[in-house]
Amino acid sequence: MSTTTSMNEQMEPKVLWLDRLLAVASSVGKRLAMPVVGFAAFLLLWSVAAQNIDTSLGKFPGPQAVWQQFGALHAEHNRSREKEAAFYERQEKRNAARAAEDPDYVPKIRAYTGKETFVDQIGTSLVTVMSGFFLAALMAIPLGIAIGLSRTLNDAVNPIVQLFKPVSPLAWLPLVTMVVSALYVTPDPIVAKSFLVSMITVTLCCIWPMVINTSVGVASIDKDLVNVSRVLRLPALTHVKKIVLPASVPMIFTGMRLSLGVAWMVLIAAEMLAQNPGLGKFVWDEFQNGSSDSLGRIMAAVLVIGFIGFLLDRGMLLIQRWVSWDKSNIAN
Amino acid sequence: MSTLLDISHIDMEFPTPKGSFTALQDVSLKIAKGEFVSLIGHSGCGKSTVLNVVAGLYQATRGGVILNGREVSEPGPERAVVFQNHSLLPWLTAYENVELAVKQVFGKSKSKPEMKEWIEHNLKLVHMDHAMHKRPDEISGGMKQRVGIARALAMQPEVLLMDEPFGALDALTRAHMQDSLMEIQAELNNTVIMITHDVDEAVLLSDRIVMMTNGPAATIGEILDVKLERPRDRLALAEDAEYTHLRSQVLKFLYEKQRKIEPLSPGAAASKKSDTARKASAA
């Protein structure tokens, strides 16, 4: 084997280069082959099953019908954007004309109030989940660090965390809705009430895994590293910054990834339940709409929800790889 | 010679579910400036506990430690510790690990360029200047321990405490590290307390060997003065009658006077070993 390669090398170096390229291609091919096969099998099963399911809204949508709906949703979005642009153009012209007649005229600018498209709903859901998630991180990580550092505080807070951790955030939803309605009463709201309700629900579900993972990460720091800090007499803040935080970054991120995954699932359900703008509302509206396209559109939404959830998780993993020193600890 | 460090009648008791466990009883030792003292004894005899009390990481139940006429009540950089498992911060490079210590100790008294020079000087001292900017997971066990020593030396401690610093290294690396340590010691003349399991290491490096009895209620059994000329050379000493005699003294103490009855079956011995290792790391 080795003799043949070395002979090849001497006589035909170009062939060797080609060989290597082929080897790389085949290894990439091998890695991709099985996922492709799996996906194809899934599509096949789906289309066969779909053809055999008759609902009151027609046949269950197969891959092709869903693909069509993706196209339709996209076209709808484009049409809506054109309408919006046309609306603003008309408004501007009108205001310019009136201002020319009457110099004292203060132009009224009205916002476009068309129906949100699928793409708009995706945007709304993403913004909501991210804001709720960051709000939770802002509270949970410092709290988790404090609990991890202090046995006493842990004893005090842990029962509460354990009590609220298993509660589905959807149970909170009615309470959150009422509290937000009662307390958020400004004549000129910066954000919509519905946004606030969804966001707080997301926060409520993100906070517990983050608190628990952060505190466990902090509490399980190698004792020798803590001793290093004690020998150096590092001040408390430096201790947290230089030792505690970096040491618990892997665990903190595990908590963040967990909670972002749960948050995305919960948000969709919350939007459906509360009729708050977002992908959940899109699904519910389509269900209520009950046209022959509805199931296809819902299926399209399901795929998009799954894909976005996957991207969010991958995104967190990338950030975790980037900030964490412990590369061995990061699994898929 | 005047006493720098006075370990005075230390008792150490640990609370356990079955009542208090006396680890140390009446341990007293006076150490002069520039002296290299090693503590030797069987596993679990409380060597690490003595070191941790001196470091201030443990509070003695009775008695106390006096350094330069002042009682030790908490850890501090003037009693720098070289830990058994290097204890470098894995997210920092060798340079940054030493820098953390230097900034904390000399942050007010040294300027930035002075600190940089001091960090590099200490890394050079342990022959780690070529890998200053590598992280702990990129260097070998021996190199990590060198950086750990550099970090401790960079604090300019009055007493350097070493808890089995070379215990986790292979024999060749260990010999190399011992030579390095002797070299550094000849240059800086530090006061050192080192814990070891290794009889040769104790005789080669120390001015005095403190031999501890088995626990519970361990205490100092015998103290052996090592009056071998410095610099010491391991090859020359291997044939030296005085060296051989000292070595056999320590061995006699450990295996005749303080013989520890270990179970003979390999499984039990292994579990015992891992048990003591856990104890040591917990301490």
Side-chain angles (χ1 to χ4, degrees), chain A residues 165-294:
Chain A
K165 189 185 70 160
V167 176
S168 163
L170 296 179
W172 286 106
L173 191 62
L175 297 174
V176 173
T177 311
M178 297 315 288
V179 169
V180 168
S181 302
L183 297 182
Y184 190 63
V185 277
T186 48
D188 184 27
I190 308 163
V191 291
K193 261 184 198 169
S194 59
F195 169 78
L196 218 57
V197 171
S198 302
M199 186 189 83
I200 292 172
T201 310
V202 167
T203 304
L204 279 173
C205 93
C206 284
I207 212 163
W208 313 119
M210 280 199 229
V211 168
I212 291 170
N213 276 281
T214 306
S215 67
V216 169
V218 170
S220 57
I221 295 176
D222 188 350
K223 218 166 165 251
D224 281 352
L225 298 187
V226 177
N227 281 340
V228 168
S229 173
R230 288 179 66 196
V231 167
L232 283 173
R233 289 208 189 121
L234 293 182
L237 206 65
T238 318
H239 173 66
V240 169
K241 220 169 65 186
K242 294 277 183 180
I243 314 260
V244 172
L245 213 52
S248 43
V249 151
M251 277 299 273
I252 292 178
F253 266 86
T254 306
M256 285 171 90
R257 262 180 86 197
L258 272 177
S259 54
L260 188 58
V262 178
W264 182 240
M265 287 200 270
V266 160
L267 175 66
I268 305 297
E271 285 166 353
M272 280 177 85
L273 203 63
Q275 294 291 290
N276 289 341
L279 276 169
K281 182 171 160 50
F282 174 85
V283 169
W284 192 249
D285 285 352
E286 287 301 333
F287 178 57
Q288 296 297 324
N289 188 17
S291 82
S292 54
D293 291 339
S294 284

Side-chain angles (χ1 to χ4, degrees), chain A:
Chain A
M1 183 69 196
S2 64
T3 45
T4 39
T5 14
S6 66
M7 270 169 71
N8 273 347
E9 211 165 356
Q10 281 168 353
M11 290 190 286
E12 291 168 291
K14 270 181 194 168
V15 175
L16 195 77
W17 174 82
L18 199 69
D19 272 355
R20 212 167 276 164
L21 194 75
L22 281 174
V24 170
S26 86
S27 83
V28 170
K30 263 180 203 156
R31 285 192 58 187
L32 281 179
M34 279 304 118
V36 167
V37 168
F39 211 70
F42 166 73
L43 286 178
L44 190 74
L45 273 175
W46 175 15
S47 56
V48 169
Q51 269 163 12
N52 293 309
I53 302 175
D54 278 307
T55 70
S56 58
L57 296 177
K59 272 204 189 322
F60 190 85
Q64 216 182 348
V66 172
W67 182 247
Q68 274 169 4
Q69 287 312 318
F70 269 117
L73 287 167
H74 187 239
E76 237 168 64
H77 174 72
N78 285 347
R79 269 203 303 283
S80 166
R81 280 291 139 87
E82 274 163 26
K83 265 193 194 167
E84 188 181 346
F87 169 83
Y88 282 119
E89 207 183 305
R90 281 200 308 277
Q91 174 170 278
E92 210 170 290
K93 265 189 198 155
R94 211 165 41 234
N95 282 337
R98 282 195 66 171
E101 278 174 25
D102 175 10
D104 295 334
Y105 175 68
V106 184
K108 275 185 203 147
I109 310 243
R110 288 192 179 82
Y112 177 72
T113 52
K115 187 173 172 272
E116 296 105 328
T117 65
F118 185 55
V119 180
D120 296 334
Q121 302 285 38
I122 294 176
T124 310
S125 284
L126 271 177
V127 169
T128 315
V129 84
M130 290 322 277
S131 356
F133 174 74
F134 281 118
L135 183 65
L138 225 56
M139 296 189 284
I141 291 171
L143 181 66
I145 289 174
I147 292 174
L149 287 176
S150 155
R151 216 33 228 268
T152 326
L153 195 62
N154 183 39
D155 289 345
V157 177
N158 196 37
I160 303 169
V161 174
Q162 297 299 338
L163 177 71
F164 286 132
K165 189 185 70 160
V167 176
S168 163
L170 296 179
W172 286 106
L173 191 62
L175 297 174
V176 173
T177 311
M178 297 315 288
V179 169
V180 168
S181 302
L183 297 182
Y184 190 63
V185 277
T186 48
D188 184 27
I190 308 163
V191 291
K193 261 184 198 169
S194 59
F195 169 78
L196 218 57
V197 171
S198 302
M199 186 189 83
I200 292 172
T201 310
V202 167
T203 304
L204 279 173
C205 93
C206 284
I207 212 163
W208 313 119
M210 280 199 229
V211 168
I212 291 170
N213 276 281
T214 306
S215 67
V216 169
V218 170
S220 57
I221 295 176
D222 188 350
K223 218 166 165 251
D224 281 352
L225 298 187
V226 177
N227 281 340
V228 168
S229 173
R230 288 179 66 196
V231 167
L232 283 173
R233 289 208 189 121
L234 293 182
L237 206 65
T238 318
H239 173 66
V240 169
K241 220 169 65 186
K242 294 277 183 180
I243 314 260
V244 172
L245 213 52
S248 43
V249 151
M251 277 299 273
I252 292 178
F253 266 86
T254 306
M256 285 171 90
R257 262 180 86 197
L258 272 177
S259 54
L260 188 58
V262 178
W264 182 240
M265 287 200 270
V266 160
L267 175 66
I268 305 297
E271 285 166 353
M272 280 177 85
L273 203 63
Q275 294 291 290
N276 289 341
L279 276 169
K281 182 171 160 50
F282 174 85
V283 169
W284 192 249
D285 285 352
E286 287 301 333
F287 178 57
Q288 296 297 324
N289 188 17
S291 82
S292 54
D293 291 339
S294 284
L295 290 185
R297 291 158 77 96
I298 292 175
M299 196 62 206
V302 165
L303 293 179
V304 166
I305 291 167
F307 189 62
I308 290 174
F310 169 73
L311 287 185
L312 287 176
D313 191 59
R314 285 288 123 155
M316 281 304 289
L317 193 68
L318 275 181
I319 300 174
Q320 183 174 12
R321 285 217 176 112
W322 182 54
V323 297
S324 179
W325 49 272
D326 190 2
K327 310 289 176 200
S328 64
N329 203 12
I330 302 165
N332 293 320

Side-chain angles (χ1 to χ4, degrees), chain B:
Chain B
M1 272 202 273
S2 65
T3 307
L4 175 76
L5 183 80
D6 185 359
I7 304 173
S8 174
H9 303 286
I10 283 178
D11 287 1
M12 189 76 205
E13 285 163 17
F14 291 107
T16 65
K18 289 182 216 152
S20 82
F21 169 80
T22 309
L24 297 176
Q25 195 155 46
D26 200 26
V27 174
S28 287
L29 185 64
K30 285 187 166 70
I31 295 169
K33 196 168 165 29
E35 210 178 357
F36 195 119
V37 174
S38 39
L39 292 180
I40 198 165
H42 289 290
S43 314
C45 74
K47 307 182 294 279
S48 283
T49 313
V50 174
L51 198 85
N52 279 323
V53 170
V54 176
L57 294 166
Y58 288 172
Q59 247 358 94
T61 316
R62 273 177 292 279
V65 176
I66 295 159
L67 175 67
N68 264 337
R70 278 214 196 134
E71 189 176 352
V72 166
S73 59
E74 56 168 353
E78 76 282 358
R79 281 160 285 126
V81 184
V82 177
F83 295 92
Q84 187 173 9
N85 293 315
H86 67 80
S87 296
L88 298 177
L89 306 181
W91 50 89
L92 298 181
T93 62
Y95 180 91
E96 290 165 332
N97 264 290
V98 180
E99 187 186 33
L100 181 71
V102 170
K103 266 195 180 159
Q104 185 58 24
V105 178
F106 299 107
K108 287 184 185 116
S109 57
K110 279 192 201 299
S111 69
K112 268 193 179 157
E114 276 172 345
M115 280 200 271
K116 185 174 188 293
E117 203 188 338
W118 178 241
I119 296 163
E120 284 170 357
H121 167 78
N122 279 285
L123 283 164
K124 210 168 275 173
L125 207 60
V126 297
H127 305 296
M128 278 302 295
D129 43 326
H130 62 289
M132 282 200 285
H133 300 295
K134 291 208 164 138
R135 291 203 197 177
D137 58 357
E138 295 169 319
I139 57 180
S140 70
M143 288 161 101
K144 282 182 235 188
Q145 207 51 270
R146 283 173 192 273
V147 178
I149 292 171
R151 177 174 64 185
L153 290 173
M155 299 179 207
Q156 238 171 22
E158 294 189 59
V159 186
L160 183 63
L161 305 173
M162 306 178 101
D163 188 355
E164 283 185 53
F166 313 134
L169 305 177
D170 65 85
L172 283 175
T173 314
R174 194 184 310 159
H176 206 64
M177 296 291 292
Q178 288 160 355
D179 292 341
S180 281
L181 186 59
M182 281 197 285
E183 211 177 278
I184 293 166
Q185 182 61 10
E187 196 178 326
L188 302 179
N189 200 28
N190 277 306
T191 312
V192 182
I193 304 180
M194 181 177 77
I195 289 179
T196 182
H197 269 133
D198 182 337
V199 177
D200 288 292
E201 182 171 277
V203 179
L204 183 67
L205 296 177
S206 320
D207 297 317
R208 274 195 294 165
I209 303 176
V210 175
M211 293 174 275
M212 294 194 58
T213 64
N214 287 331
T219 188
I220 293 173
E222 284 174 35
I223 298 179
L224 191 68
D225 277 315
V226 181
K227 295 212 168 87
L228 297 166
E229 291 253 332
R230 287 182 193 270
R232 295 172 185 170
D233 174 59
R234 71 172 67 243
L235 284 180
L237 285 175
E239 310 274 327
D240 188 281
E242 169 79 2
Y243 177 85
T244 319
H245 174 69
L246 289 165
R247 200 173 167 279
S248 66
Q249 293 278 95
V250 181
L251 286 172
K252 266 186 196 143
F253 178 86
L254 289 176
Y255 298 105
E256 278 176 16
K257 296 176 197 167
Q258 291 294 323
R259 186 162 169 209
K260 199 163 189 183
I261 296 121
E262 302 259 2
L264 279 176
S265 75
S271 78
K272 177 85 191 159
K273 205 173 170 188
S274 70
D275 189 48
T276 50
R278 216 178 309 123
K279 255 187 221 156
S281 69

